[in-house]
Amino acid sequence: MNLHNRLKEIRLHKNFTQESLADAVGVTRQTIIAVEKEKFVPSVKLALELASALDTPIEKVFWLEKSRGEKS
Amino acid sequence: MTGMTSYYISRAVISVAFGALFAVTGSPWWTAMLIGGFVFAFFLWAPRSGRYSVHPELGITALRRDERTQVINDKAARNAFVVSMLTLGGITVYFGALALTNVPIAVLKLVIVIGALTYFVSDLWLRRSQQ
């Protein structure tokens, strides 16, 4: 299972910069970049904080998807 | 006063205190000033480094490693530990079974250097690959 997200799209829609979102959840801008590029899987706490800062249900920001060849 | 202003003021005070500590414990005044300067330079660099996030409301512990940095540091430390132990094992086997002599201290120092090098290279590589 891979974690995917729509963080960048929602962030832009809510008029947040990477910097302002990073400040809102107490991480660095580099962490926001890494999450948006799906290079870094955030903890449950950070994922919930991001969803809360964006005022969006967490399932709209993050979701799991089966990777290729993975059985159900 | 904004959050970052209070951060810079408090870090300047800490840097001066750090330098003063060296001055009162017998270091030359220029060494104390240099150390205070280096400490303050670190505090100026830290918020821009991408390694630390600033939480001015936490006072003296305002500088925190953020989540990604913690994950990277943990992985780098694990890599360094594994490489150090493998090197130590290799050295022990070599000197115990092949060379049949005591392990020289200089060789053991090498294990620490290799471990430290592995830590910094891993940290840099993970930082570049996870962005």
Side-chain angles (χ1 to χ4, degrees):
Chain A
M1 294 280 228
N2 292 326
L3 185 73
H4 296 279
N5 71 73
R6 206 173 277 127
L7 188 62
K8 187 176 181 179
E9 186 187 325
I10 297 170
R11 174 177 64 76
L12 292 172
H13 182 69
K14 300 270 179 178
N15 290 322
F16 272 92
T17 62
Q18 288 173 334
E19 188 107 41
S20 60
L21 184 58
D23 286 344
V25 297
V27 296
T28 61
R29 193 172 65 88
Q30 282 79 354
T31 297
I32 300 296
I33 295 169
V35 173
E36 284 184 355
K37 288 185 176 176
E38 300 185 349
K39 300 255 179 174
F40 173 67
V41 177
S43 66
V44 174
K45 181 175 173 280
L46 179 57
L48 285 165
E49 282 172 345
L50 287 167
S52 168
L54 294 168
D55 196 24
T56 308
I58 191 166
E59 65 272 19
K60 300 244 186 225
V61 189
F62 296 97
W63 69 95
L64 282 170
E65 225 170 71
K66 282 188 189 118
S67 48
R68 257 186 213 169
E70 195 173 330
K71 287 176 187 171
S72 56
Chain B
M1 193 158 60
T2 67
M4 283 315 277
T5 308
S6 68
Y7 167 77
Y8 289 124
I9 291 171
S10 64
R11 297 311 107 167
V13 171
I14 291 170
S15 305
V16 169
F18 209 77
L21 187 70
F22 275 83
V24 297
T25 51
S27 299
W29 65 268
W30 61 268
T31 310
M33 276 185 70
L34 203 65
I35 288 168
F38 277 128
V39 171
F40 192 60
F42 168 77
F43 288 133
L44 289 179
W45 165 81
R48 290 164 184 79
S49 67
R51 292 167 185 255
Y52 302 94
S53 52
V54 178
H55 304 263
E57 71 280 5
L58 295 175
I60 200 157
T61 57
L63 215 52
R64 292 284 170 95
R65 288 184 304 162
D66 84 329
E67 189 176 304
R68 178 171 159 266
T69 300
Q70 282 180 35
V71 169
I72 288 173
N73 287 169
D74 289 350
K75 281 183 185 171
R78 190 186 59 205
N79 291 349
F81 179 76
V82 169
V83 169
S84 300
M85 288 303 110
L86 287 175
T87 309
L88 194 62
I91 287 169
T92 308
V93 168
Y94 174 75
F95 282 96
L98 300 172
L100 300 174
T101 59
N102 292 331
V103 181
I105 295 294
V107 174
L108 288 178
K109 282 181 185 168
L110 198 67
V111 176
I112 296 171
V113 173
I114 289 171
L117 209 62
T118 307
Y119 178 84
F120 290 115
V121 170
S122 295
D123 183 89
L124 203 67
W125 183 78
L126 288 165
R127 207 163 280 285
R128 285 184 177 279
S129 62
Q130 287 190 14
Q131 66 178 11

